[in-house]
C-alpha cells in the first residue's frame, strides 16, 4: 500500500551504499521536531504552570511514577531512556494519523509501521537490559535463567526455557508495535476504499447500503486506532521498565 512505501526524497550514495533521504527519514525528523517543540514549550518552570507546562509535567511524572513503581528508587536513572522511547513512539504513532492526505500528492507516513524501526527501538531496550545486568551483577546476571527454587532434576530444561523467553523479548516488542500500527492503518484504508467506491458506484442503492455504514465504521475504527497509538507507546515503555527491573533487581 502506498502509505507504507518508502520513497527517496534525495538520492545519496556512499561507497556504493544507498543512504538516500527518504520519507521515513523526513517523518522521523518531524517527530523529533514535534517532541522538541512540545518539551521546549512546557519547560518554562513558571510558579503558576499553564496548560502546556502541566501537560509536559504530567507526562514526565507519569513515566517517573512508572519507573519508580516498577524498579524502585533506582528507576529514576532510567527515566530519560524510557521517556524518550515513549515520546518517540507516541508522537510517531499520532503523526501517522494526521490527515495530510488532504494535500494533493501527499500522504501520512507511520514510521512505527515498519519493522526496521520498531526492531531498532526493541534492540535499544534489550541492549540496555544486557548492559545494565552485566554491569551491575557481572556473570551473576546469568542466574536470571535459573529461577530460585528450581529442582535439580529440571536444571537441564528450565534454563533453556528461560533463555528462550529472554531472547524472544526484542522480537515481541518489535512485532507488537509493528503489527498493531500496520493492521489498524490497513483496516482504515480498506474501509475508506468501500466509502469511495460506494459513492462512485452507478447504482444509487450502493451509497446508502455500503458507503454510509463503512464511513460510520471508519470513524469508530479511527478513534480506536488513536487509542491504540497511545496504548502501544505505554505498553512498550512499561515492558521496557519491567525488563530493566529484571536486570537491576536481580536475586
Amino acid at each position: 500500500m502506498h502509505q507504507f512505501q518508502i520513497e527517496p526524497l534525495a538520492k545519496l550514495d556512499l561507497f556504493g551504499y544507498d543512504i538516500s533521504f527518504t520519507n521515513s527519514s523526513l517523518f522521523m525528523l518531524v517527530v523529533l521536531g514535534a517532541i522538541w517543540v512540545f518539551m521546549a514549550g512546557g519547560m518554562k518552570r513558571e510558579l503558576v504552570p499553564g496548560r502546556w507546562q502541566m501537560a509536559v509535567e504530567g507526562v514526565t511524572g507519569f513515566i517517573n511514577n512508572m519507573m519508580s513503581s516498577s524498579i524502585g528508587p533506582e528507576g529514576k536513572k532510567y527515566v530519560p531512556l524510557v521517556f524518550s522511547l515513549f515520546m518517540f513512539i507516541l508522537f510517531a504513532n499520532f503523526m501517522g494519523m494526521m490527515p495530510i492526505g488532504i494535500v494533493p500528492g501527499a500522504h501520512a507516513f507511520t514510521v512505527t509501521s515498519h519493522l526496521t524501526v520498531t526492531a531498532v527501538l526493541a534492540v535499544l531496550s534489550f541492549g540496555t537490559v544486557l548492559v545494565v545486568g552485566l554491569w551491575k551483577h557481572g556473570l551473576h546476571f546469568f542466574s536470571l535463567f535459573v529461577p530460585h527454587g528450581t529442582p535439580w532434576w529440571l536444571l537441564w530444561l528450565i534454563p533453556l526455557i528461560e533463555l528462550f523467553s529472554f531472547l524472544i523479548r526484542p522480537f515481541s516488542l518489535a512485532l507488537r508495535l509493528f503489527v498493531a500500527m500496520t493492521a489498524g492503518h490497513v483496516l482504515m484504508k480498506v474501509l475508506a476504499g468501500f466509502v469511495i467506491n460506494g459513492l462512485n458506484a452507478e447504482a444509487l442503492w450502493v451509497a446508502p447500503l455500503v458507503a454510509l455504514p463503512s464511513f460510520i465504521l471508519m470513524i469508530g475504527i479511527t478513534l480506536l486506532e488513536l487509542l491504540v497509538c497511545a496504548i502501544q507507546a505505554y505498553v512498550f515503555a512499561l515492558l521496557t521498565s519491567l525488563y530493566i527491573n529484571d536486570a537491576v533487581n536481580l536475586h
Side-chain angles (χ1 to χ4, degrees):
M1 297 174 65
H2 184 60
Q3 63 173 318
F4 300 120
Q5 184 176 353
I6 297 180
E7 303 170 350
L9 303 179
K11 285 284 188 177
L12 297 174
D13 185 84
L14 181 64
F15 304 113
Y17 292 95
D18 186 8
I19 57 169
S20 300
F21 185 78
T22 64
N23 54 344
S24 178
S25 306
L26 174 62
F27 268 82
M28 280 191 275
L29 290 178
V30 171
V31 168
L32 292 177
I35 295 174
W36 183 85
V37 171
F38 175 72
M39 295 301 298
M43 297 179 65
K44 299 178 180 179
R45 298 183 180 180
E46 296 178 350
L47 184 60
V48 181
R51 295 181 180 178
W52 200 328
Q53 182 177 338
M54 290 178 63
V56 173
E57 292 179 353
V59 176
T60 54
F62 170 74
I63 299 298
N64 184 67
N65 292 335
M66 177 196 299
M67 299 302 292
S68 297
S69 60
S70 300
I71 302 176
E74 288 195 44
K76 293 184 180 295
K77 298 179 182 178
Y78 309 99
V79 168
L81 170 65
V82 178
F83 178 80
S84 300
L85 289 172
F86 174 79
M87 293 297 291
F88 180 82
I89 295 173
L90 182 66
F91 274 67
N93 291 348
F94 282 138
M95 199 64 67
M97 296 291 294
M98 294 294 102
I100 302 175
I102 60 177
V103 179
H107 64 87
F109 186 88
T110 310
V111 297
T112 48
S113 66
H114 280 258
L115 189 58
T116 51
V117 176
T118 60
V120 170
L121 297 176
V123 168
L124 177 61
S125 172
F126 183 71
T128 301
V129 173
L130 289 178
V131 171
V132 171
L134 293 174
W135 175 63
K136 288 184 65 68
H137 306 286
L139 295 179
H140 181 61
F141 173 70
F142 295 103
S143 65
L144 179 67
F145 307 129
V146 185
H148 181 70
T150 302
W152 64 268
W153 50 274
L154 282 177
L155 289 178
W156 64 276
L157 178 62
I158 297 300
L160 293 177
I161 296 177
E162 290 293 331
L163 177 62
F164 178 79
S165 175
F166 182 78
L167 294 179
I168 206 70
R169 288 177 177 181
F171 296 99
S172 63
L173 279 176
L175 286 174
R176 183 184 292 106
L177 179 57
F178 156 72
V179 170
M181 291 298 102
T182 303
H185 283 67
V186 168
L187 182 57
M188 290 190 295
K189 183 72 173 182
V190 170
L191 291 174
F194 280 127
V195 174
I196 295 173
N197 293 330
L199 293 176
N200 293 332
E202 295 182 359
L204 298 179
W205 59 268
V206 176
L209 292 182
V210 176
L212 182 58
S214 298
F215 179 71
I216 296 174
L217 182 58
M218 187 178 68
I219 294 177
I221 294 297
T222 301
L223 296 176
L224 178 62
E225 186 68 5
L226 289 172
L227 179 61
V228 170
C229 289
I231 290 177
Q232 288 301 316
Y234 168 72
V235 169
F236 198 101
L238 178 61
L239 290 178
T240 299
S241 67
L242 294 177
Y243 295 160
I244 294 176
N245 174 61
D246 289 342
V248 173
N249 299 317
L250 182 64
H251 299 292

